[in-house]
PDB file of all heavy atoms in Angstrom:
ATOM      1  N   LEU A 181       1.834 -16.383   2.701  1.00 96.00           N
ATOM      2  CA  LEU A 181       1.427 -17.331   3.726  1.00 96.00           C
ATOM      3  C   LEU A 181       2.637 -18.070   4.264  1.00 96.00           C
ATOM      4  O   LEU A 181       3.608 -18.305   3.555  1.00 96.00           O
ATOM      5  CB  LEU A 181       0.354 -18.297   3.219  1.00 96.00           C
ATOM      6  CG  LEU A 181       0.648 -19.126   1.961  1.00 96.00           C
ATOM      7  CD1 LEU A 181       1.258 -20.457   2.364  1.00 96.00           C
ATOM      8  CD2 LEU A 181      -0.633 -19.361   1.188  1.00 96.00           C
ATOM      9  N   THR A 183       4.028 -21.519   6.384  1.00 94.00           N
ATOM     10  CA  THR A 183       3.631 -22.880   6.690  1.00 94.00           C
ATOM     11  C   THR A 183       4.483 -23.438   7.814  1.00 94.00           C
ATOM     12  O   THR A 183       5.681 -23.170   7.879  1.00 94.00           O
ATOM     13  CB  THR A 183       3.771 -23.777   5.459  1.00 94.00           C
ATOM     14  OG1 THR A 183       5.157 -23.989   5.154  1.00 94.00           O
ATOM     15  CG2 THR A 183       3.092 -23.159   4.234  1.00 94.00           C
ATOM     16  N   VAL A 224      -0.337 -21.351   8.084  1.00 95.00           N
ATOM     17  CA  VAL A 224      -1.063 -22.560   7.694  1.00 95.00           C
ATOM     18  C   VAL A 224      -0.324 -23.759   8.279  1.00 95.00           C
ATOM     19  O   VAL A 224       0.887 -23.882   8.115  1.00 95.00           O
ATOM     20  CB  VAL A 224      -1.165 -22.689   6.168  1.00 95.00           C
ATOM     21  CG1 VAL A 224      -2.037 -23.906   5.806  1.00 95.00           C
ATOM     22  CG2 VAL A 224      -1.735 -21.421   5.554  1.00 95.00           C
ATOM     23  N   ARG A 225      -1.041 -24.614   8.961  1.00 93.00           N
ATOM     24  CA  ARG A 225      -0.413 -25.786   9.578  1.00 93.00           C
ATOM     25  C   ARG A 225       0.044 -26.785   8.517  1.00 93.00           C
ATOM     26  O   ARG A 225      -0.404 -26.764   7.380  1.00 93.00           O
ATOM     27  CB  ARG A 225      -1.383 -26.464  10.546  1.00 93.00           C
ATOM     28  CG  ARG A 225      -1.787 -25.586  11.734  1.00 93.00           C
ATOM     29  CD  ARG A 225      -2.552 -26.395  12.757  1.00 93.00           C
ATOM     30  NE  ARG A 225      -3.756 -27.008  12.158  1.00 93.00           N
ATOM     31  CZ  ARG A 225      -4.469 -27.961  12.757  1.00 93.00           C
ATOM     32  NH1 ARG A 225      -4.100 -28.405  13.943  1.00 93.00           N
ATOM     33  NH2 ARG A 225      -5.552 -28.439  12.177  1.00 93.00           N
ATOM     34  N   ASP A 226       0.952 -27.662   8.935  1.00 89.00           N
ATOM     35  CA  ASP A 226       1.460 -28.686   8.023  1.00 89.00           C
ATOM     36  C   ASP A 226       0.457 -29.816   7.860  1.00 89.00           C
ATOM     37  O   ASP A 226       0.689 -30.963   8.259  1.00 89.00           O
ATOM     38  CB  ASP A 226       2.801 -29.226   8.556  1.00 89.00           C
ATOM     39  CG  ASP A 226       3.940 -28.250   8.380  1.00 89.00           C
ATOM     40  OD1 ASP A 226       3.962 -27.539   7.364  1.00 89.00           O
ATOM     41  OD2 ASP A 226       4.801 -28.173   9.282  1.00 89.00           O
ATOM     42  N   ARG A 227      -0.684 -29.466   7.301  1.00 90.00           N
ATOM     43  CA  ARG A 227      -1.733 -30.440   7.012  1.00 90.00           C
ATOM     44  C   ARG A 227      -2.062 -30.307   5.531  1.00 90.00           C
ATOM     45  O   ARG A 227      -2.462 -29.244   5.070  1.00 90.00           O
ATOM     46  CB  ARG A 227      -3.015 -30.181   7.833  1.00 90.00           C
ATOM     47  CG  ARG A 227      -2.782 -30.112   9.333  1.00 90.00           C
ATOM     48  CD  ARG A 227      -2.437 -31.476   9.924  1.00 90.00           C
ATOM     49  NE  ARG A 227      -2.409 -31.407  11.386  1.00 90.00           N
ATOM     50  CZ  ARG A 227      -1.324 -31.071  12.076  1.00 90.00           C
ATOM     51  NH1 ARG A 227      -0.208 -30.751  11.440  1.00 90.00           N
ATOM     52  NH2 ARG A 227      -1.358 -31.026  13.404  1.00 90.00           N
ATOM     53  N   PRO A 228      -1.872 -31.373   4.759  1.00 90.00           N
ATOM     54  CA  PRO A 228      -2.046 -31.257   3.292  1.00 90.00           C
ATOM     55  C   PRO A 228      -3.364 -30.629   2.873  1.00 90.00           C
ATOM     56  O   PRO A 228      -3.383 -29.788   1.970  1.00 90.00           O
ATOM     57  CB  PRO A 228      -1.940 -32.708   2.845  1.00 90.00           C
ATOM     58  CG  PRO A 228      -1.034 -33.352   3.842  1.00 90.00           C
ATOM     59  CD  PRO A 228      -1.400 -32.709   5.159  1.00 90.00           C
ATOM     60  N   ASP A 229      -4.465 -30.985   3.505  1.00 94.00           N
ATOM     61  CA  ASP A 229      -5.747 -30.422   3.108  1.00 94.00           C
ATOM     62  C   ASP A 229      -5.816 -28.923   3.383  1.00 94.00           C
ATOM     63  O   ASP A 229      -6.323 -28.149   2.558  1.00 94.00           O
ATOM     64  CB  ASP A 229      -6.896 -31.140   3.849  1.00 94.00           C
ATOM     65  CG  ASP A 229      -7.090 -32.573   3.346  1.00 94.00           C
ATOM     66  OD1 ASP A 229      -6.538 -32.884   2.271  1.00 94.00           O
ATOM     67  OD2 ASP A 229      -7.762 -33.342   4.039  1.00 94.00           O
ATOM     68  N   GLU A 230      -5.323 -28.512   4.548  1.00 94.00           N
ATOM     69  CA  GLU A 230      -5.338 -27.095   4.887  1.00 94.00           C
ATOM     70  C   GLU A 230      -4.414 -26.307   3.964  1.00 94.00           C
ATOM     71  O   GLU A 230      -4.741 -25.198   3.518  1.00 94.00           O
ATOM     72  CB  GLU A 230      -4.923 -26.892   6.357  1.00 94.00           C
ATOM     73  CG  GLU A 230      -5.923 -27.446   7.356  1.00 94.00           C
ATOM     74  CD  GLU A 230      -5.485 -27.207   8.801  1.00 94.00           C
ATOM     75  OE1 GLU A 230      -4.716 -26.229   9.017  1.00 94.00           O
ATOM     76  OE2 GLU A 230      -5.908 -27.960   9.669  1.00 94.00           O
ATOM     77  N   LEU A 231      -3.256 -26.876   3.685  1.00 93.00           N
ATOM     78  CA  LEU A 231      -2.318 -26.210   2.766  1.00 93.00           C
ATOM     79  C   LEU A 231      -2.913 -26.063   1.376  1.00 93.00           C
ATOM     80  O   LEU A 231      -2.809 -25.014   0.752  1.00 93.00           O
ATOM     81  CB  LEU A 231      -1.020 -27.021   2.699  1.00 93.00           C
ATOM     82  CG  LEU A 231      -0.025 -26.852   3.844  1.00 93.00           C
ATOM     83  CD1 LEU A 231       1.061 -27.918   3.754  1.00 93.00           C
ATOM     84  CD2 LEU A 231       0.586 -25.463   3.832  1.00 93.00           C
ATOM     85  N   LYS A 232      -3.563 -27.117   0.929  1.00 95.00           N
ATOM     86  CA  LYS A 232      -4.134 -27.079  -0.417  1.00 95.00           C
ATOM     87  C   LYS A 232      -5.217 -26.022  -0.527  1.00 95.00           C
ATOM     88  O   LYS A 232      -5.270 -25.257  -1.512  1.00 95.00           O
ATOM     89  CB  LYS A 232      -4.708 -28.457  -0.764  1.00 95.00           C
ATOM     90  CG  LYS A 232      -5.109 -28.604  -2.230  1.00 95.00           C
ATOM     91  CD  LYS A 232      -5.477 -30.073  -2.521  1.00 95.00           C
ATOM     92  CE  LYS A 232      -5.775 -30.266  -3.998  1.00 95.00           C
ATOM     93  NZ  LYS A 232      -6.064 -31.703  -4.300  1.00 95.00           N
ATOM     94  N   ASP A 233      -6.076 -25.913   0.492  1.00 96.00           N
ATOM     95  CA  ASP A 233      -7.126 -24.905   0.481  1.00 96.00           C
ATOM     96  C   ASP A 233      -6.530 -23.494   0.517  1.00 96.00           C
ATOM     97  O   ASP A 233      -6.961 -22.589  -0.214  1.00 96.00           O
ATOM     98  CB  ASP A 233      -8.066 -25.077   1.677  1.00 96.00           C
ATOM     99  CG  ASP A 233      -8.969 -26.289   1.532  1.00 96.00           C
ATOM    100  OD1 ASP A 233      -9.099 -26.814   0.405  1.00 96.00           O
ATOM    101  OD2 ASP A 233      -9.543 -26.741   2.549  1.00 96.00           O
ATOM    102  N   ALA A 234      -5.521 -23.312   1.388  1.00 96.00           N
ATOM    103  CA  ALA A 234      -4.924 -21.988   1.528  1.00 96.00           C
ATOM    104  C   ALA A 234      -4.221 -21.560   0.242  1.00 96.00           C
ATOM    105  O   ALA A 234      -4.327 -20.421  -0.208  1.00 96.00           O
ATOM    106  CB  ALA A 234      -3.929 -21.994   2.689  1.00 96.00           C
ATOM    107  N   ILE A 235      -3.486 -22.492  -0.376  1.00 96.00           N
ATOM    108  CA  ILE A 235      -2.769 -22.160  -1.611  1.00 96.00           C
ATOM    109  C   ILE A 235      -3.748 -21.898  -2.741  1.00 96.00           C
ATOM    110  O   ILE A 235      -3.552 -20.962  -3.540  1.00 96.00           O
ATOM    111  CB  ILE A 235      -1.800 -23.310  -1.977  1.00 96.00           C
ATOM    112  CG1 ILE A 235      -0.662 -23.353  -0.956  1.00 96.00           C
ATOM    113  CG2 ILE A 235      -1.233 -23.124  -3.391  1.00 96.00           C
ATOM    114  CD1 ILE A 235       0.244 -24.556  -1.093  1.00 96.00           C
ATOM    115  N   ALA A 236      -4.818 -22.665  -2.832  1.00 96.00           N
ATOM    116  CA  ALA A 236      -5.833 -22.436  -3.868  1.00 96.00           C
ATOM    117  C   ALA A 236      -6.444 -21.057  -3.713  1.00 96.00           C
ATOM    118  O   ALA A 236      -6.652 -20.348  -4.718  1.00 96.00           O
ATOM    119  CB  ALA A 236      -6.897 -23.509  -3.804  1.00 96.00           C
ATOM    120  N   TYR A 256       7.496 -33.230   6.200  1.00 49.00           N
ATOM    121  CA  TYR A 256       6.325 -32.342   6.235  1.00 49.00           C
ATOM    122  C   TYR A 256       6.398 -31.274   5.148  1.00 49.00           C
ATOM    123  O   TYR A 256       5.710 -30.249   5.239  1.00 49.00           O
ATOM    124  CB  TYR A 256       6.209 -31.682   7.614  1.00 49.00           C
ATOM    125  CG  TYR A 256       5.972 -32.693   8.725  1.00 49.00           C
ATOM    126  CD1 TYR A 256       7.018 -33.180   9.473  1.00 49.00           C
ATOM    127  CD2 TYR A 256       4.673 -33.166   8.973  1.00 49.00           C
ATOM    128  CE1 TYR A 256       6.818 -34.117  10.473  1.00 49.00           C
ATOM    129  CE2 TYR A 256       4.463 -34.099   9.976  1.00 49.00           C
ATOM    130  CZ  TYR A 256       5.525 -34.589  10.721  1.00 49.00           C
ATOM    131  OH  TYR A 256       5.311 -35.519  11.696  1.00 49.00           O
ATOM    132  N   TYR A 258       5.239 -30.409   1.888  1.00 81.00           N
ATOM    133  CA  TYR A 258       4.190 -30.867   0.948  1.00 81.00           C
ATOM    134  C   TYR A 258       3.996 -29.945  -0.249  1.00 81.00           C
ATOM    135  O   TYR A 258       3.191 -30.258  -1.133  1.00 81.00           O
ATOM    136  CB  TYR A 258       2.847 -30.955   1.691  1.00 81.00           C
ATOM    137  CG  TYR A 258       2.850 -31.848   2.906  1.00 81.00           C
ATOM    138  CD1 TYR A 258       2.589 -31.309   4.171  1.00 81.00           C
ATOM    139  CD2 TYR A 258       3.067 -33.203   2.815  1.00 81.00           C
ATOM    140  CE1 TYR A 258       2.564 -32.105   5.299  1.00 81.00           C
ATOM    141  CE2 TYR A 258       3.031 -34.030   3.936  1.00 81.00           C
ATOM    142  CZ  TYR A 258       2.774 -33.478   5.178  1.00 81.00           C
ATOM    143  OH  TYR A 258       2.743 -34.275   6.290  1.00 81.00           O
ATOM    144  N   ILE A 259       4.639 -28.780  -0.272  1.00 87.00           N
ATOM    145  CA  ILE A 259       4.274 -27.723  -1.196  1.00 87.00           C
ATOM    146  C   ILE A 259       4.326 -28.182  -2.653  1.00 87.00           C
ATOM    147  O   ILE A 259       3.345 -28.004  -3.415  1.00 87.00           O
ATOM    148  CB  ILE A 259       5.154 -26.486  -0.992  1.00 87.00           C
ATOM    149  CG1 ILE A 259       4.954 -25.888   0.399  1.00 87.00           C
ATOM    150  CG2 ILE A 259       4.852 -25.423  -2.064  1.00 87.00           C
ATOM    151  CD1 ILE A 259       3.573 -25.361   0.674  1.00 87.00           C
ATOM    152  N   ILE A 262       1.461 -30.448  -3.658  1.00 93.00           N
ATOM    153  CA  ILE A 262       0.182 -29.748  -3.686  1.00 93.00           C
ATOM    154  C   ILE A 262       0.077 -28.853  -4.920  1.00 93.00           C
ATOM    155  O   ILE A 262      -0.988 -28.760  -5.552  1.00 93.00           O
ATOM    156  CB  ILE A 262      -0.013 -28.946  -2.378  1.00 93.00           C
ATOM    157  CG1 ILE A 262      -0.228 -29.910  -1.214  1.00 93.00           C
ATOM    158  CG2 ILE A 262      -1.176 -27.951  -2.510  1.00 93.00           C
ATOM    159  CD1 ILE A 262      -0.202 -29.239   0.137  1.00 93.00           C
ATOM    160  N   LEU A 266      -2.875 -29.022  -7.795  1.00 95.00           N
ATOM    161  CA  LEU A 266      -3.713 -27.860  -8.147  1.00 95.00           C
ATOM    162  C   LEU A 266      -3.550 -27.452  -9.602  1.00 95.00           C
ATOM    163  O   LEU A 266      -4.147 -26.454 -10.036  1.00 95.00           O
ATOM    164  CB  LEU A 266      -3.409 -26.695  -7.227  1.00 95.00           C
ATOM    165  CG  LEU A 266      -3.842 -26.849  -5.761  1.00 95.00           C
ATOM    166  CD1 LEU A 266      -3.260 -25.732  -4.905  1.00 95.00           C
ATOM    167  CD2 LEU A 266      -5.363 -26.850  -5.663  1.00 95.00           C
TER     168      LEU A 266
END
Side-chain angles (χ1 to χ4, degrees):
L181 55 92
T183 70
V224 184
R225 296 190 302 167
D226 287 323
R227 305 290 187 273
D229 289 345
E230 293 181 25
L231 281 168
K232 190 172 184 177
D233 288 344
I235 291 172
Y256 297 96
Y258 304 117
I259 297 296
I262 290 170
L266 290 170

